[in-house]
Amino acid sequence: MTHMMVRRSLLAQPVLRIRAVWDSTDPESGAGVDLEEIRRVREAQQLEQAGSPYICVGEPDDAGLVRGEGVVPVDRLGTAMGRVEAIVQPATEAVSVVYRDNIHLTAGQAVVQHLIQQTDEAGLIRVGLPRWIYHTNPTWNLLPDDHLIEVLWPVEG
């Protein structure tokens, strides 16, 4: 299946985020745990969610550990609390692809490879890690193998 790359301009955006090393063998580790911690901090600071949560995920190391981050856009800059950072993501250009997948991003690697090919052909330089945006919430989606997911990758060029 061919996925169409779209170029986007992103505005500066206040966010709450946790950067961590996730261990898939530990139920107290991972994107879901971190996003829940961010939710609690957001509510405690009376911040409004201002977009879909997303995760950035690196490749697993030899021990199966993954560097990742969970991010929630908010309506105004919050305050750091514990593991939760409060930052403003800078404005940037990005490319994105929207596709359907399961909660574990089974098709994600093929989509990323296609996005890499398309950005290379367009002469764009990818910056950092791609962002995985769940446009359907995994906790309430009645079709857990049918999530609308966006891969968004900041670019230069």
Side-chain angles (χ1 to χ4, degrees):
M1 174 185 293
T2 302
H3 301 284
M4 183 174 177
M5 177 181 81
V6 176
R7 190 145 181 194
R8 299 177 49 190
S9 294
L10 303 178
L11 301 174
Q13 174 67 56
V15 301
L16 297 176
R17 83 171 172 202
I18 294 177
R19 287 183 164 171
V21 176
W22 297 333
D23 179 352
S24 63
T25 65
D26 180 359
E28 297 300 317
S29 175
V33 172
D34 289 354
L35 289 172
E36 176 60 22
E37 185 174 340
I38 291 169
R39 182 193 64 75
R40 289 190 303 270
V41 168
R42 181 185 59 76
E43 288 178 355
Q45 294 185 25
Q46 299 179 341
L47 300 169
E48 294 294 324
Q49 186 171 321
S52 298
Y54 61 88
I55 61 172
C56 297
V57 183
E59 291 296 317
D61 65 15
D62 292 339
L65 302 176
V66 174
R67 291 192 184 284
E69 63 184 59
V71 183
V72 175
V74 291
D75 62 329
R76 63 189 188 285
L77 187 60
T79 304
M81 289 181 67
R83 297 186 321 130
V84 178
E85 298 175 90
I87 65 162
V88 175
Q89 293 281 29
T92 188
E93 292 293 309
V95 294
S96 73
V97 170
V98 176
Y99 73 105
R100 292 195 172 280
D101 202 350
N102 61 38
I103 191 172
H104 302 291
L105 305 173
T106 304
Q109 193 58 37
V111 173
V112 165
Q113 289 305 317
H114 188 72
L115 192 55
I116 288 170
Q117 177 185 351
Q118 288 181 314
T119 53
D120 286 349
E121 289 171 0
L124 300 172
I125 299 167
R126 294 171 304 282
V127 179
L129 294 171
R131 300 173 186 176
W132 300 90
I133 303 168
Y134 289 89
H135 289 288
T136 48
N137 184 332
T139 62
W140 55 254
N141 186 6
L142 300 178
L143 302 170
D145 290 334
D146 187 22
H147 289 278
L148 186 61
I149 298 178
E150 180 177 7
V151 180
L152 184 135
W153 210 329
V155 294
E156 295 175 347

